[in-house]
Amino acid sequence: MDELKRIRQYLMTGVSYMIPFVVIGGVLIAFSIALSGVEAGKGANVTNPVLVNMLNIGVAGFQMMVPVLAGFISYAIADRAGIAPGMVGGFLAMNIKAGFLGGIIAGFIAGYVARWIKGWRVPPTIRPIMPIFVIPLLSALVVGGLMIYVIGNPIAGLMESMTAGLKSMSSGSSVVLALVMGAMIAFDMGGPVNKVAFLFGAAMIGQGVYTVMGPVAVAICIPPLGMGVATLLAPKKYDETEREAGYGALAMGLIGITEGAIPFAAADPLRVIPSIMTGSAIGAAVAAMFGVGDHAPHGGPIVLPVVDNRIMFIVAILIGIAITALMVNALKKTVVEEVENGKGMDA
């Protein structure tokens, strides 16, 4: 149990440093898209030079999110020597499209490897260069090699098999397809599984089929909106950092940025991920049942002008939000109880 508590502390360290980058990226991207709007068949269409620069700043914040998460998970485990290999591992996780889950894996690998190397008995002449040269270099080589050669290929193969699976399902029940795609969208919030479902929905727009992207557009916004609402409904079940992240998640959800839920999922994956997957899957299924269509490769309420059956689009989102918020709050304990009982949030 103590080890599980330490693992949660490592995760929370990474999350606490990551949240400002999520806010910078999510809010600036959200504002630039909100002020520009979306177009049928094209998605977000940001053309104003000032808004383009705002969008680029937001994208830069998002690009740093996973490396910072991984770097500071590693830092929590191995101290200063873990930052560089952790960030390198997180950057590689982004390059192989492993998402924030890949970043978490990279952070733990880098941290534990760096801590192990720190324990080596070395001659006194080498000891001064250990934290600035030997430990970061060897740790980066280990975590980099694992991310490229061990983790990267399985992820690529998984994406191909998932795409083939969705294509085979598209000729069957639209509700079943929507359930699967909704769960995929929420699973890793912008990671490889999410991207497979999103790109499949976007590809169907090119074929003139809008009722696949419709459920996807619903599922995209439910994780951040659901978690934002959850923090408002039960604030005692979230610490101050998470409550602040909830406001940012609400803004991101309105613009269809699923990554707004990542801080919550990274901090408490066993409770948050099943909750957002359930909400997104059911919301997407409701949208499919009523033939909701989306003419733009984007999601969230911002695409309402290019949506078919707008009322049920909104209803499906509200249902998914309610399920996510109620489920995650039912699973969580209050922060005060957890501190008093010394149990942490591991389960």
Side-chain angles (χ1 to χ4, degrees), residues 228-277:
V229 169
T231 64
L232 298 177
L233 293 178
K236 292 183 179 180
K237 297 195 174 188
Y238 303 87
D239 61 28
E240 183 178 355
T241 302
E242 289 175 313
R243 290 196 295 271
E244 292 174 355
Y247 295 111
L250 289 171
M252 287 180 246
L254 292 173
I255 315 299
I257 301 175
T258 318
E259 288 88 342
I262 286 179
F264 304 97
D268 193 5
L270 296 182
R271 294 185 178 97
V272 173
I273 292 178
S275 301
I276 61 177
M277 286 179 68

Side-chain angles (χ1 to χ4, degrees), residues 127-158:
R127 196 172 299 139
I129 65 170
M130 287 291 289
I132 61 172
F133 184 79
V134 177
I135 298 173
L137 180 62
L138 295 181
S139 301
L141 285 171
V142 172
V143 69
L146 288 173
M147 296 305 292
I148 293 171
Y149 296 110
V150 178
I151 297 175
N153 289 334
I155 288 176
L158 179 63

Side-chain angles (χ1 to χ4, degrees), residues 36-118:
S36 301
V38 295
E39 293 183 9
K42 294 182 179 180
N45 185 26
V46 183
T47 56
N48 181 283
V50 174
L51 296 180
V52 168
N53 288 332
M54 182 186 294
L55 177 67
N56 290 337
I57 295 170
V59 169
F62 258 3
Q63 287 176 337
M64 296 186 69
M65 176 178 67
V66 174
V68 167
L69 172 64
F72 282 95
I73 288 174
S74 182
Y75 164 74
I77 298 170
D79 206 16
R80 186 181 65 177
I83 295 179
M87 286 192 170
V88 169
F91 182 82
L92 290 171
M94 286 186 57
N95 279 0
I96 65 173
K97 304 189 185 306
F100 88 97
L101 293 174
I104 290 175
I105 293 170
F108 276 104
I109 292 173
Y112 283 119
V113 170
R115 191 168 72 180
W116 171 61
I117 298 174
K118 281 177 66 176

Side-chain angles (χ1 to χ4, degrees), residues 18-29 62 244-245 248-249 252 263:
M18 175 187 69
I19 284 176
F21 293 88
V22 177
V23 172
I24 290 170
V27 173
L28 291 182
I29 291 172
F62 258 3
E244 292 174 355
M252 287 180 246

